[in-house]
Amino acid sequence: MAEEDLTRQHIRPSGYGDPAAPPGTRQPPLPPAGHTRTGLRRLARARQRRRWAVEGIAVVACLVALVSYLTAGDPEPGGETVGDVPADAGRPSGFPGVEGRDLDAGLVSPGLRPRQRPPSPSPTPPTPPTPSTSAPPVRAVLAASMAEAPDEVDLTTVGRRDWVHWGLRGAESTVRKRGGSGEIRDEGGTGRRGGWDDNQESFSWRDGSPVASASGSPHGVYRCGAGSGFTLAVAADGQARTVRLYGGVWMARGRLDARLSVGGPSRTLRIEDRHTSRSTEFTIRFQAPKGSRLVLTWTVEQAFSDDCGNVGVQAVALG
C-alpha cells in the first residue's frame, strides 16, 4: 500500500534509480507512469492471449493446408508433379481399403489407369446354321425311244463309261470295255441262246477285253420262240445316264420293257418284221438312287415263223 500510495503521488520508492548506487548494480525497472502493478499484469495477460490467438490461427491454417493437400485429386497421367511435390507423394502403399474403391469399376485389369474401364467385349458373331449334309432324294426318271441303227457303231465312242458286245467268237462269247465301270450286267433270259455272224450293222472298238480291238464285226446272239429273250440290267448311281441297246428281230415282233428296280415310271417299245430281219437302236435315259438298277427285258412277243422267229442283241453301251 505504501508503494501504491507513492505511485499515486508520483514519488518513486527508495532504491529506484539511486544515483548513489554502486556501478554495476542492477536496479529493477520502473513501471510506466500512471500504471500500477495490477494494471501491468492485466496488460501482460492480454498480450499473452493475443499471441495464443495468433498462434492458434496459424496452426488452423496449417491444418487446413495439410488437409487440402492430402485430399487433392489424382495425379496427372505419366507421374507428373504438382508444384515441387511428386504427384504420388503422401500416398499410402499397398491395396486401398474397400471404402476407397469404386465398386462399379469391377475387377482390376492390368495396364489400366485409375478410373479407366476395361473395353467392352466384342459381341460374338452369330454362328451360321450348318448346312445339311444329306443329299436331297433322287427322283426316278425314265424315258425311252428308238431309231434305225447306224451302219457302223463305235463302242469306244458311245460307251465312255461301259459297254458289252456279244457273239464275236460264238454264242457264249462276251467282250467288255477294258477298265469300264462294270455297270452293265447280263442277267440271262429265257430260251436257248445261239450266235450268228450276218447282222446288217457292224461294230468296232479299241478298248476291249479280252479282245483289245475289232473292226466291222457283224456278230450277235439270239433266242427263238414266243416268250424267249434276254434280261439286262444297268446299275444306277444317282446321276442321269444314257443307255443304248442294239437289237433286232427276225420274223417276229419284239417287245422291250424298261423299268426301275425302285419303281416309278416304266416304258415299253416294240418292233416287228413278219418276213425278214430288222435292227434298231433303243435309247433309254434314266436317273435313279444309287444302289438301284435299270432293268431291260427284250423278248419275243409274237413269232411269225415256226422255224425260229427270234429277237437278238449285238451290244449295249453306257454313256
Side-chain angles (χ1 to χ4, degrees):
M1 289 295 296
E3 293 180 355
E4 185 175 350
D5 293 339
L6 291 175
T7 301
R8 290 173 182 170
Q9 298 177 9
H10 304 286
I11 299 174
R12 294 182 179 178
S14 60
Y16 281 98
D18 187 357
T25 302
R26 182 181 177 185
Q27 300 182 23
L30 294 176
H35 292 277
T36 63
R37 287 183 177 271
T38 301
L40 292 176
R41 283 194 295 268
R42 291 175 181 172
L43 182 60
R45 283 195 297 269
R47 290 175 179 173
Q48 183 69 32
R49 284 193 296 269
R50 283 195 298 272
R51 283 196 301 271
W52 288 346
V54 172
E55 292 174 356
I57 292 172
V59 170
V60 170
C62 292
L63 290 176
V64 170
L66 179 61
V67 170
S68 299
Y69 171 74
L70 293 178
T71 57
D74 291 327
E76 295 295 324
E80 298 179 1
T81 60
V82 178
D84 295 331
V85 182
D88 57 353
R91 299 289 179 90
S93 60
F95 294 102
V98 175
E99 64 277 5
R101 295 172 58 187
D102 185 355
L103 298 181
D104 293 334
L107 297 177
V108 175
S109 299
L112 297 179
R113 297 190 179 99
R115 293 191 178 92
Q116 184 179 1
R117 301 292 187 270
S120 301
S122 301
T124 304
T127 303
T130 304
S132 175
T133 57
S134 59
V138 176
R139 184 171 62 93
V141 176
L142 179 61
S145 62
M146 62 182 184
E148 290 293 328
D151 292 340
E152 295 182 2
V153 178
D154 184 352
L155 293 176
T156 299
T157 300
V158 297
R160 296 187 180 278
R161 288 183 63 83
D162 200 16
W163 59 261
V164 179
H165 181 270
W166 288 272
L168 180 65
R169 295 176 178 176
E172 302 302 325
S173 173
T174 302
V175 180
R176 300 191 66 99
K177 178 182 179 68
R178 182 177 65 250
S181 64
E183 293 168 312
I184 300 173
R185 302 170 188 175
D186 183 352
E187 297 194 344
T190 303
R192 185 181 62 87
R193 185 163 74 175
W196 89 94
D197 58 1
D198 61 350
N199 192 62
Q200 56 263 51
E201 291 81 36
S202 62
F203 295 84
S204 62
W205 60 85
R206 298 171 302 282
D207 55 350
S209 177
V211 180
S213 63
S215 178
S217 169
H219 300 83
V221 294
Y222 64 90
R223 280 192 167 107
C224 298
S228 62
F230 301 87
T231 300
L232 307 171
V234 181
D237 62 356
Q239 303 298 316
R241 302 298 181 194
T242 299
V243 177
R244 290 178 171 85
L245 168 62
Y246 301 93
V249 297
W250 186 81
M251 298 184 70
R253 180 169 65 237
R255 170 177 170 167
L256 177 68
D257 293 303
R259 65 180 179 84
L260 299 173
S261 63
V262 292
S266 62
R267 298 290 183 268
T268 298
L269 300 174
R270 293 179 175 87
I271 64 169
E272 71 174 60
D273 194 308
R274 291 175 178 267
H275 307 288
T276 183
S277 64
R278 179 185 175 187
S279 297
T280 192
E281 179 187 62
F282 296 104
T283 301
I284 302 95
R285 293 179 174 86
F286 79 102
Q287 184 174 10
K290 185 176 182 179
S292 60
R293 300 177 303 155
L294 168 68
V295 180
L296 303 175
T297 305
W298 176 229
T299 60
V300 177
E301 187 173 57
Q302 185 176 355
F304 301 117
S305 169
D306 295 336
D307 186 20
C308 185
N310 66 68
V311 294
V313 293
Q314 291 81 50
V316 176
L318 174 64

